[in-house]
Structures are given as C-alpha cells and as structure tokens.
Amino acid sequence: MPHSSLFEKKAIYGGVYTIFLMNRLQILYFVLIMPMYLTFPYMIGGIIAVGLLSQLNLVILSKWFASVYSTRGYEGFVQLFGAKAVRVLACLGLCILLIKITVITLGYVDVLHQFIFPSMSKIWLLLFSFLMGCYLALQGMDNMIRFVIIIFLGTVWITVLFLPVFSLPSVSIHNLYPLIPYDWSMHSWKSLLMMFSALSGPEYLIFLAPWLHPQKQTLSSLTWANAGTVIEHLFLFIISLLFYGSSYLSRISFPIVNISRYLQSPVFERVDVILLSIHMAAFVYALALFLLICYGATRITLGNVHKPTTLIGFLLTPLLIFLWLALASHYWDGAFGIKLWTELQIWLGASTYALIPTVLLIAVKRNKGRA
C-alpha cells in the first residue's frame, strides 16, 4: 500500500466495527490489574454503577456522532473550534495519548518480563513490541479497522477459560460478601475512578468517525460494547474474589495473570504463557492504532494536515515515542514508579472520557445556535 494513503478512506464501516473497536480499547492493561484496585466484594455493585454512568456518557457521545461534523474529520473540528484551537487541542491530546501509550506499553512489557521472559532485557521487549505495532500501523487506518474483527475473535474467548475456577474446592461463596459496604473510604472512591478510567476508550473513536461513519445506530453499537466490557470486568473481578479472597487480593500485582498460572491443560504446560501471548495481539493492535492517531495529531499540530503522508514522516513519530518510552522505563520500575504512572493515567483517562463527549456536544449545539 502506498505510504501516502495511511489515512485513505477506502470503505465505510458500521456498527460491528464500532463495537469491536470500543470493546478491545477498553480491555487493555487495566484488565490485568483491575481486581487488586477494587479489592472489596461490594465493588461488584460499583462496577455496575460505573457501567451505567459510562452508558450515560455514551448517550452524550452518540449525539455528537449523529451530527454532520463527526464524519468530516479534521474539517469538522475546524468548523467547530477554529484552526488555531484545533492545533492546540491536538497538541494537548498528543500529550495525553503519550501518557496512555506509556502506561499500557511499559505495563505489558513488565508483564511479559515477569511471566514469560524474565532473563530478557525490557528494552528488547519494548523494541519488539514497537516494531510489531509499527508494521501493523503501516497497513493504514482502513486495514487497521478491518483487522479488528480478527483481534476481537482471537482474544474475546480468553475470558471463558477462567470458568474452571468456579469448580475449585478452595473457592467459597463467602468471598463475595459483603455486597453492601459497612463504611466508605477514599480507597473506595479511587476504585470507582479507576473503573471509570478502565471503561475509557470510546473517546478515541471520534478520530475514527470518518471511517466508521457511525451516524446510524451509534447508540446501540456503543451500548452493546459497553455492556460487553462491563460483563467481562464483572466476571474477572468475581473470579479474582473467589480465587484469592478480599484480604489477599490487594497484595497480588497481576491477579488475572496469576490465576491463569493455575489453570490445568492436557496439551499445554504453561497456560498463562499462551494466554498472555494471545492477549498481546490486542495490545499491539491498540498500540498501532494509537501510533496512527499520534501521527495524525502531530501533523495537525505542525500544520501539515493537508500535505501527503510520507514513510519517513510516519516512522519519525514512533521513533520519538520509543525514545521517550526507553527514558520513561527507568522511572517505571519499583512500586512508587508503577503507582505514579498508573494513577496519572487513571486520572487522565477518567477526565478525558468524562469531558470530551460533553465538550463536543456543547460545541455542536453552540455552532447550530450561530447558524
């Protein structure tokens, strides 16, 4: 494919692609650490409550998708905010997206290093992950969106493999109590914030609207994706509670991965290695998608959006991001570093997910009022 057509729109995709994209963007690094942050059984109700709050946010987002501006891409944003404001917003979005890339990439590299390649340098793992992401991104946005069906079908069944946990003799239903909290602490509020941040991802679909063309049946597509993600989070959290118990769950760094180490298989000795390798496909896909969005945001920030894309121009963006990640990896190791980066992404993810749909809807309403 010619590199000048990285953002060429060859086809129009609809609701199924929207569902798959949104669901896979929400099931990334946080799904591996989410149970240790929620900890208490009454957070089962918290997941449902945050899922309903997320649905309300999606109703607002769907109103923007239903507007004529959503499918116009860059020109639609210029009509709403003005060219200078769009360049400033693109620069700000680039910084926020860089934080997200940092957390999910270094987080996954940390998981791979701990469970699969403990003797391998993390820099090499980081490089290999980036090379796979760059190769996938070079296929162009059109092929990227089409490829999400393979990613979804190849990874969504992983959750089903945890069903044998229910039959373990050590599992007790009492680990799911109390469902109503005796008290409410700052930790409980942070857990809800973390869950809301874990459900973020739909806001990135605004950059893909010209390809997805989601003006029809947008809300139903977003609703199906949100419901699927909430069910998946609920299932994995309940599995973690039954397996560890509330008192021990908060001490486990990667609860989901550690549970998979105990799964028995007559074919494979290390089921966790197989599952992590398969789940990596979703991570590499998201990384490639974010690299394309970063490249587009960089072009807008520099005022080059109307110039054709080039191979050197695109590769320069991942190179700079890789150098940043190599530097940031030195501040990732250790409990303090991981906690700092993770909490930063939790706040940023929750903030962007809450603000972007509302800001877009207000801009659309204001622009209609002027017309």
Side-chain angles (χ1 to χ4, degrees):
M1 185 192 73
H3 299 297
S4 59
S5 59
L6 280 173
F7 299 104
E8 182 181 347
K9 306 176 192 65
K10 296 181 180 179
I12 298 298
Y13 304 106
V16 173
Y17 291 91
T18 302
I19 293 172
F20 291 170
L21 268 168
M22 174 177 159
N23 179 259
R24 291 304 94 184
L25 287 178
Q26 291 174 320
I27 306 297
L28 288 174
Y29 174 65
F30 275 172
V31 75
L32 302 180
I33 63 173
M34 177 262 301
M36 65 174 289
Y37 277 84
L38 302 184
T39 304
F40 302 108
Y42 56 77
M43 277 301 157
I44 293 175
I47 294 176
I48 298 174
V50 172
L52 294 175
L53 180 62
S54 174
Q55 181 61 30
L56 177 62
N57 209 38
L58 294 176
V59 171
I60 299 174
L61 187 62
S62 67
K63 294 183 181 298
W64 179 83
F65 278 127
S67 70
V68 295
Y69 304 100
S70 63
T71 56
R72 295 177 183 174
Y74 170 75
E75 299 299 334
F77 289 113
V78 170
Q79 291 175 2
L80 288 177
F81 301 104
K84 292 184 178 179
V86 169
R87 292 179 66 177
V88 173
L89 291 173
C91 183
L92 178 61
L94 191 60
C95 296
I96 294 174
L97 191 54
L98 187 61
I99 298 298
K100 186 176 184 67
I101 291 175
T102 301
V103 172
I104 66 170
T105 305
L106 295 183
Y108 264 111
V109 166
D110 194 28
V111 174
L112 291 177
H113 184 265
Q114 181 173 334
F115 291 94
I116 303 181
F117 304 107
S119 62
M120 194 174 189
S121 172
K122 289 186 179 181
I123 295 297
W124 284 109
L125 291 173
L126 181 63
L127 178 61
F128 293 149
S129 301
F130 238 75
L131 289 177
M132 290 188 290
C134 288
Y135 173 78
L136 194 57
L138 280 172
Q139 308 310 308
M141 188 66 80
D142 185 80
N143 290 324
M144 280 286 297
I145 293 176
R146 187 183 297 117
F147 189 61
V148 74
I149 291 183
I150 299 176
I151 295 297
F152 180 84
L153 296 178
T155 58
V156 71
W157 56 271
I158 292 178
T159 306
V160 181
L161 296 182
F162 290 91
L163 284 174
V165 173
F166 287 105
S167 62
L168 293 177
S170 59
V171 165
S172 173
I173 192 66
H174 296 289
N175 289 337
L176 299 182
Y177 301 128
L179 293 176
I180 299 176
Y182 297 123
D183 58 356
W184 195 264
S185 62
M186 183 58 66
H187 175 79
S188 301
W189 287 114
K190 286 185 176 180
S191 298
L192 293 179
L193 181 69
M194 189 271 178
M195 191 62 224
F196 188 71
S197 182
L199 292 178
S200 66
E203 68 271 26
Y204 296 105
L205 297 182
I206 66 174
F207 305 108
L208 310 180
W211 289 268
L212 296 173
H213 206 279
Q215 287 183 288
K216 297 180 180 180
Q217 300 179 342
T218 307
L219 183 56
S220 61
S221 301
L222 297 178
T223 300
W224 277 107
N226 186 61
T229 303
V230 170
I231 291 173
E232 191 165 350
H233 279 293
L234 266 176
F235 177 81
L236 292 176
F237 181 52
I238 291 173
I239 286 290
S240 301
L241 280 174
L242 290 174
F243 191 84
Y244 296 109
S246 180
S247 59
Y248 189 55
L249 182 57
S250 60
R251 306 175 188 178
I252 306 298
S253 298
F254 301 103
I256 303 301
V257 185
N258 277 287
I259 291 176
S260 67
R261 301 183 74 175
Y262 291 91
L263 297 178
Q264 299 290 330
S265 170
V267 180
F268 302 107
E269 183 178 354
R270 291 286 305 275
V271 178
D272 57 319
V273 173
I274 305 299
L275 296 184
L276 274 177
S277 301
I278 295 173
H279 198 64
M280 272 288 294
F283 155 66
V284 172
Y285 180 86
L287 177 61
L289 189 65
F290 291 152
L291 289 178
L292 281 173
I293 296 176
C294 281
Y295 180 46
T298 302
R299 283 161 51 81
I300 294 174
T301 303
L302 298 177
N304 298 330
V305 68
H306 294 297
K307 296 181 180 179
T309 59
T310 62
L311 177 60
I312 296 178
F314 169 74
L315 292 180
L316 185 61
T317 300
L319 176 60
L320 293 176
I321 294 177
F322 175 79
L323 294 176
W324 156 255
L325 289 177
L327 177 64
S329 64
H330 293 287
Y331 301 96
W332 174 268
D333 293 329
F336 177 77
I338 296 175
K339 182 179 179 181
L340 177 65
W341 282 109
T342 303
E343 290 199 358
L344 180 60
Q345 169 53 26
I346 288 174
W347 281 98
L348 286 177
S351 299
T352 56
Y353 188 33
L355 292 176
I356 289 178
T358 303
V359 170
L360 288 174
L361 182 60
I362 291 174
V364 169
K365 297 291 185 183
R366 185 186 63 178
N367 206 60
K368 284 185 178 179
R370 290 178 179 177

